[in-house]
Amino acid sequence: MKKLFYQVLDFILFSNIFMALCAVAQGMVTYQLLNAQPDKYVLGLLFAATLALYNFSILLAKPADPSQSQFKRVRWFFDHYRLMISITIIAVLALIPLVLFLTTTSIILLGFLGVLSVSYNLPLFSFHEKKFGLRNIPGIKLFLIALVWSLSCVSLPIVELESHGIISVSSRDTILLLTKRFLFIAALAVPFDIRDLFQDRNYDLKTIPVVLGEKKAYLFCLVLLLFYLILLFLFNNGFDANFWGLAITIFLAGWLIFKSDRKKDEYYYFFYLDGVLILQFLFLSLTSLASR
């Protein structure tokens, strides 16, 4: 039974299905905060696009010998290469009918985010006959991850809601939602770079931990969450259900980040840390139900 459990868990985590569910949950967070009815086409698109992009990024970054990788996720992914190719193709094909339900503005936004995500791993530039890509720009990895997730899970639902005349969100509220989500995603992303610190140094990737060092990188995470908490205090309608749902998640994320280190296994990172993205929606739902 234990073996079967881990086989199922490995499939959900390492196929990036769990990551795609995290994107859906973050989309639901936006709808919850706006008190709006979720759009099933937007949520479906978030799932399929996240699944396709994350799988594609792993395929682009394929090591010379995946079986010798220090990461179980990489070994599992390429041990199930045909399955992952099939899942990725299905995810890409699923995007086609889903895009048809979106407005032109949303399609342009998604196209921009897709190009940005894919180009991160591509050697687009050259200098003194040495090729490099966006990933080689100091600190860009964290910025791109937080930006893509924030625009996907916040801006896309807002654009669709406003295009259909369902709700109107002021520029101020949109910027606040984007900023808070950016800080939250960025804080959760840094521990992954800390885990990959030595590998990133070998690949000459200037991530936050490489530039600042391990201890300062952890402090940087907590500073990001502190700014998120300050914004939550300053720009919230009192201590309502949404405040408590978000605040609980901030403290949980801070605790998990504080407890993380390079000795933790991949389940800690891909299940517990990434799982906070899903828990944020669950906490919001629970506090909302409790307040009624």
Side-chain angles (χ1 to χ4, degrees):
M1 183 64 71
K2 184 177 180 181
K3 182 179 179 181
L4 177 62
F5 171 78
Y6 276 103
Q7 286 177 340
V8 174
L9 184 62
D10 287 349
F11 171 72
I12 293 173
L13 293 181
F14 302 146
S15 68
N16 289 310
I17 288 176
F18 188 73
M19 204 71 241
L21 291 173
C22 289
V24 172
Q26 283 299 296
M28 291 292 291
V29 166
T30 300
Y31 286 115
Q32 178 83 7
L33 294 174
L34 295 175
N35 196 28
Q37 186 70 25
D39 186 325
K40 59 181 179 293
Y41 299 116
V42 170
L43 297 178
L45 194 141
L46 286 174
F47 181 89
T50 303
L51 184 58
L53 285 172
Y54 269 75
N55 284 349
F56 190 58
S57 67
I58 294 178
L59 291 169
L60 284 177
K62 181 181 179 181
D65 188 358
S67 64
Q68 299 301 313
S69 173
Q70 62 176 313
F71 299 117
K72 183 176 181 180
R73 180 196 193 192
V74 175
R75 297 195 303 272
W76 186 95
F77 191 96
F78 290 101
D79 280 344
H80 301 81
Y81 184 75
R82 290 185 178 179
L83 173 63
M84 295 317 303
I85 289 292
S86 300
I87 290 176
T88 305
I89 291 173
I90 292 171
V92 172
L93 292 176
L95 289 173
I96 298 173
L98 289 170
V99 166
L100 298 177
F101 291 96
L102 300 182
T103 60
T104 303
T105 305
S106 294
I107 293 173
I108 293 172
L109 174 62
L110 283 172
F112 167 73
L113 294 175
V115 171
L116 202 61
S117 301
V118 172
S119 61
Y120 170 76
N121 288 297
L122 298 177
L124 301 175
F125 315 104
S126 61
F127 183 74
H128 292 311
E129 298 183 355
K130 182 180 179 180
K131 292 186 176 181
F132 65 96
L134 293 175
R135 63 186 296 179
N136 298 108
I137 300 175
I140 196 69
K141 179 180 180 181
L142 178 67
F143 176 80
L144 284 180
I145 290 173
L147 179 66
V148 170
W149 272 79
S150 301
L151 290 176
S152 300
C153 300
V154 176
S155 293
L156 181 61
I158 289 177
V159 168
E160 283 299 297
L161 287 170
E162 291 191 328
S163 297
H164 292 92
I166 299 173
I167 195 173
S168 178
V169 184
S170 67
S171 298
R172 170 185 172 275
D173 288 341
T174 300
I175 292 171
L176 279 171
L177 280 172
L178 282 169
T179 303
K180 288 188 286 187
R181 199 68 57 90
F182 182 94
L183 293 170
F184 187 59
I185 298 296
L188 290 174
V190 173
F192 287 83
D193 288 338
I194 295 174
R195 184 199 63 167
D196 301 341
L197 181 61
F198 295 113
Q199 175 181 274
D200 289 341
R201 280 176 177 164
N202 291 332
Y203 285 106
D204 196 29
L205 300 181
K206 303 298 183 181
T207 60
I208 294 297
V210 172
V211 175
L212 298 180
E214 185 175 345
K215 290 183 179 179
K216 288 183 179 179
Y218 279 119
L219 181 60
F220 180 72
C221 291
L222 299 180
V223 169
L224 291 175
L225 289 177
L226 178 60
F227 275 122
Y228 183 9
L229 190 60
I230 290 172
L231 289 176
L232 191 59
F233 268 106
L234 295 177
F235 302 100
N236 197 75
N237 297 322
F239 298 108
D240 59 5
N242 289 337
F243 173 86
W244 291 113
L246 294 174
I248 291 170
T249 313
I250 291 172
F251 285 110
L252 175 62
W255 183 77
L256 287 171
I257 290 170
F258 180 77
K259 297 289 290 184
S260 66
D261 58 59
R262 292 198 301 272
K263 295 179 181 178
K264 297 288 187 183
D265 61 26
E266 291 179 71
Y267 297 112
Y268 185 89
Y269 287 90
F270 293 112
F271 185 67
Y272 291 114
L273 269 177
D274 280 341
V276 174
L277 297 171
I278 294 176
L279 286 177
Q280 188 177 52
F281 168 65
L282 295 179
F283 285 140
L284 276 173
S285 300
L286 290 173
T287 52
S288 178
L289 287 173
S291 66
R292 292 178 182 175

